Every structure is written in C-alpha cells, then in structure tokens.
Amino acid sequence: MEEPVAVLARAGQVLEISRCETPEGLLLLLDDGVNSRSYRFQTLVALVEFQNDMEAFLLNTGWSFVSYTPDGRVWRDRGGLPGTAPERRRWWAEGLARRPSH
C-alpha cells in the first residue's frame, strides 16, 4: 500500500486517504482503521477530482487535516532518471542573459 497522501481526523476518528496504481487502473483508498474502501479510476485527473471533492466534503463536515502530502513523485512516470524531452525552461524564467535574439 502507498503512503497516505492525506490523514484527517474528527472527534477521535482518523481517516487515511492513499493512492495506489494497479494494472487495472488507479485506486483511491480510504481507511479509518476499522473499514477500508477503494475507488477505481482510469485516469489520474478523474481520481484527483474525486479526491478533491471528497476532501472538501470532509472538511465541511467537521474533519480537519492532520497531515497532507501534496502530489509529488507518487506515480511511476514521475521521478527516476532525468527525462529525454527538450528543456522546458524558458529564457524569461532564467533571466535576460540567455534571451534568444530575433
């Protein structure tokens, strides 16, 4: 199981929200220490939208964050060896010294 991306608490209850990648798709896992549920998604966008809505609902119903790990190097396509794609930085982000000539 993945490390929790969010841990929420309310009135002595704790809820861990985790993500997991499987061959069948992506899972959002909820575990309160007694029960666990999983929700399967085909895309990361759908999972994140659902998770955001769920967290907003929980916060509006008295839950609060104990810990939160923003999206980081959770999925296999993030991290590892440096990419082979062209450099994404732009001259305006690096200063005028590398500004292209016209």
Side-chain angles (χ1 to χ4, degrees), residues 73 85-94:
R73 299 184 182 277
E87 182 62 49
R88 295 183 321 206
R89 285 181 244 155
R90 304 286 186 244
W91 64 266
W92 58 83
E94 296 177 354

Side-chain angles (χ1 to χ4, degrees), residues 20-29 38-44 47 75-76:
C20 180
E21 187 172 13
T22 70
E24 294 80 31
L26 306 170
L27 295 178
L28 184 68
L29 308 166
S38 64
Y39 301 89
R40 187 174 312 279
F41 299 90
Q42 293 303 313
T43 67
L44 181 58
L47 183 152
W75 307 101
R76 72 182 143 168

Side-chain angles (χ1 to χ4, degrees), residues 1 3 7 19 25 32 35-36 44-45 47 50 56-57 62 66 69 74 76 82 94 97 99:
M1 181 176 288
E3 289 292 316
V7 179
R19 297 177 185 172
D32 65 5
N35 299 305
S36 62
L44 181 58
V45 170
L47 183 152
F50 182 85
F57 171 78
V66 173
T69 306
V74 176
R76 72 182 143 168
E94 296 177 354
R99 183 175 161 197

Side-chain angles (χ1 to χ4, degrees), residues 45-73:
V45 170
L47 183 152
V48 169
E49 286 177 357
F50 182 85
Q51 181 181 348
N52 287 341
D53 289 345
M54 176 175 285
E55 289 172 353
F57 171 78
L58 292 168
L59 293 172
N60 286 326
T61 57
W63 291 83
S64 56
F65 282 112
V66 173
S67 69
Y68 180 75
T69 306
D71 289 334
R73 299 184 182 277

